Amino acid sequence: MVSLTSTVTTSGIGTSSSYAFYNTGSDLRSSSGSYNVNSGSSYAYIKFTTPNEKTTLSVQAYVSSEASCDFGGVYVGTKEYRPSKSNISSKTTDGYGSWLMSSSGNNTSYTTYSKTLEPNTTYYINFSYAKDGSVHTNSDRIFIKNITFQTFGG
């Protein structure tokens, strides 16, 4: 594994800044401000630059939400991307990256998602969670942990 210089930034994009992500010490998750709230969005990103060789990014994540109505996702691109709920659910891109994962429903275990990144490139890992105004189901959050980078020659 390799340690990369990175900038971690979180900000709320819902109706209040209380919708930002927070670190529990064991994982990164969308704020409790999103839980049992009629609607809201959480957003955070990590900005980093890959070294002079290809790098594999891996992220473990899962979403616990109202199925087909509330969505969480991890998007990797060369720009900051704040997707809407419909962008997360349809996996719409901004043209500068791709979805590592997008999910909805009562998931309870982490899955590892990986992507190969180009050398000497600045990337953003964009984390999003968006809920509609219908019901409050499951944890109403996206859970993220074990963000790792592994370089390989090529």
Side-chain angles (χ1 to χ4, degrees), residues 63 65-73 84-86 88-90 102-105 128-132 141-142:
V63 174
S65 70
E66 178 188 5
S68 301
C69 294
D70 304 337
F71 291 86
S84 66
K85 184 172 76 73
S86 64
I88 302 169
S89 65
S90 66
S102 173
S103 182
S104 180
S128 301
Y129 182 78
K131 95 179 249 72
D132 67 4
R141 292 183 175 90
I142 183 171

Side-chain angles (χ1 to χ4, degrees), residues 12-29:
I13 60 170
T15 57
S16 163
S17 63
S18 67
Y19 293 103
F21 277 73
Y22 69 99
N23 186 344
T24 68
S26 61
D27 61 17
L28 177 70
R29 61 180 67 175

Side-chain angles (χ1 to χ4, degrees), residues 2-8 46-51 121-125 149:
V2 65
S3 176
L4 302 179
T5 302
S6 63
T7 302
V8 178
I46 298 173
K47 178 182 178 183
F48 64 96
T49 301
T50 55
T121 304
T122 298
Y123 286 96
Y124 294 78
I125 309 171
F149 305 91

Side-chain angles (χ1 to χ4, degrees), residues 18-76:
S18 67
Y19 293 103
F21 277 73
Y22 69 99
N23 186 344
T24 68
S26 61
D27 61 17
L28 177 70
R29 61 180 67 175
S30 51
S31 174
S32 58
S34 292
Y35 181 70
N36 286 338
V37 173
N38 288 333
S39 64
S41 297
S42 298
Y43 173 77
Y45 70 84
I46 298 173
K47 178 182 178 183
F48 64 96
T49 301
T50 55
N52 192 23
E53 54 193 335
K54 287 193 175 187
T55 302
T56 299
L57 162 69
S58 295
V59 176
Q60 291 183 320
Y62 75 91
V63 174
S64 177
S65 70
E66 178 188 5
S68 301
C69 294
D70 304 337
F71 291 86
V74 179
Y75 183 87
V76 180

